[in-house]
Amino acid sequence: MGEIFTYRNRVRYYETDQQGVVFNMWYMGYLDEAMNAFLDARGPGYGGMLALGCDVQLVHSELDWRSALRWREEADIDVRPSQVGTTSFTLDYTVRRAATVTEDGSVVEADGAVLATGRTVYVTVATDGGGKIPVPPELRAALEPLEPLV
């Protein structure tokens, strides 16, 4: 699959700090939500992985921040697999400003500016506590490697 998967996230009030911008730790949560939505969309989904006896553990993450998100803004988070190994996989992310929701609930499309880029590396592990396992074929098919996001 050559397409980038995009997950839309709306900033909630409690995710902002005293400067009125999203507090930095929330970006990692947004990437995790985007990963789960990606797996749901491309299969097997998180529940499907568990049914296969597979779970994932985050072993590395990085985030390069460029500009802020604010309350009532929406971000599009592009997800793209960039590497699949024997027992691990890497996802690349681009966070873009997508829209602002006004007080009356109207959605105003935004400029699409890149706000952050990120990368996460997950290791596949057995749900029975047995440690690392090979990436199951069903998950590997969903993670077909693509070019990294720029």
Side-chain angles (χ1 to χ4, degrees):
M1 295 181 152
E3 298 174 10
I4 296 171
F5 173 80
T6 302
Y7 169 76
R8 183 161 286 193
N9 180 78
R10 182 177 293 177
V11 175
R12 296 166 290 199
Y13 177 75
Y14 66 84
E15 296 168 346
T16 60
D17 60 20
Q18 290 182 338
Q19 296 171 350
V21 300
V22 171
F23 183 66
N24 57 36
M25 69 130 197
W26 286 107
Y27 287 88
M28 297 310 294
Y30 297 164
L31 300 189
D32 198 50
E33 286 293 321
M35 181 271 289
N36 280 293
F38 167 83
L39 291 176
D40 285 345
R42 292 200 38 191
Y46 193 73
M49 281 191 338
L50 294 177
L52 294 168
C54 174
D55 202 347
V56 295
Q57 291 181 344
L58 179 72
V59 296
H60 176 80
S61 63
E62 58 189 71
L63 182 73
D64 292 311
W65 185 86
R66 296 182 187 178
S67 187
L69 272 169
R70 299 179 183 283
W71 178 44
R72 290 195 173 140
E73 287 187 327
E74 293 182 343
D76 281 342
I77 303 169
D78 298 331
V79 182
R80 180 177 277 198
S82 61
Q83 185 174 5
V84 182
T86 303
T87 61
S88 67
F89 62 93
T90 303
L91 298 177
D92 290 341
Y93 305 88
T94 299
V95 180
R96 295 176 288 110
R97 182 175 290 109
T100 300
V101 180
T102 64
E103 288 187 27
D104 69 2
S106 302
V107 177
V108 179
E109 292 301 311
D111 57 8
V114 174
L115 306 174
T117 57
R119 172 172 284 177
T120 56
V121 180
Y122 296 91
V123 169
T124 49
V125 296
T127 56
D128 66 5
K132 289 196 291 187
I133 61 172
V135 175
E138 298 88 343
L139 178 56
R140 184 173 294 281
L143 296 167
E144 179 180 303
L146 305 170
E147 294 296 318
L149 291 171
V150 187

